[in-house]
Amino acid sequence: MTENNNFYKINGHVTLEKMASKLPENKDQVTFDTNLKISNHSRNKLQAMASIGYSENQRTAVDVALQAWYDTLTINEQKEFDLQVHTLERRDVRIKRKH
């Protein structure tokens, strides 16, 4: 392995094992895919973010952009935003528990 670039050599056996999740199960939150309609211009910007290495893909590019915006808010604005997100997350949990 060299230090100044990304070339690696693996000797021996390589195995892939499923690891137990280290994150505690959050019963106040559920995750599921949704659809979001955006313009081709916004999609292209998300793809560009991924292409130049600011995110892994378009999905994470949205998270990166949201976090950058969130960081510009005042503490009071962040609290207001967090309250709204928490309310919406609770709604999602209630909806998914019914199904």
Side-chain angles (χ1 to χ4, degrees):
M1 179 171 88
T2 59
E3 292 182 26
N4 294 330
N5 56 34
N6 292 326
F7 296 103
Y8 299 94
K9 182 177 180 180
I10 299 173
N11 294 314
H13 297 284
V14 177
T15 61
L16 183 62
E17 299 175 19
K18 184 174 182 179
M19 296 180 63
S21 174
K22 294 181 181 176
L23 298 174
E25 188 176 315
N26 187 347
K27 299 196 186 285
D28 295 331
Q29 191 177 32
V30 295
T31 302
F32 54 91
D33 289 335
T34 64
N35 293 321
L36 176 66
K37 291 189 179 213
I38 60 173
S39 72
N40 62 307
H41 307 291
S42 295
R43 183 202 62 219
N44 291 342
K45 291 173 186 176
L46 295 171
Q47 286 178 324
M49 285 178 69
S51 294
I52 61 178
Y54 282 100
S55 65
E56 292 180 30
N57 52 45
Q58 292 177 54
R59 182 183 297 218
T60 58
V62 171
D63 293 332
V64 169
L66 282 170
Q67 186 63 51
W69 168 78
Y70 182 86
D71 292 343
T72 68
L73 300 176
T74 66
I75 297 296
N76 287 336
E77 290 169 330
Q78 288 179 355
K79 286 179 182 179
E80 183 179 354
F81 178 78
D82 291 341
L83 177 61
Q84 292 298 320
V85 169
H86 180 71
T87 300
L88 295 167
E89 293 286 349
R90 284 193 338 230
R91 179 201 63 189
D92 289 345
V93 169
R94 280 193 316 273
I95 289 171
K96 286 297 180 181
R97 282 186 182 159
K98 290 180 181 179
H99 292 106

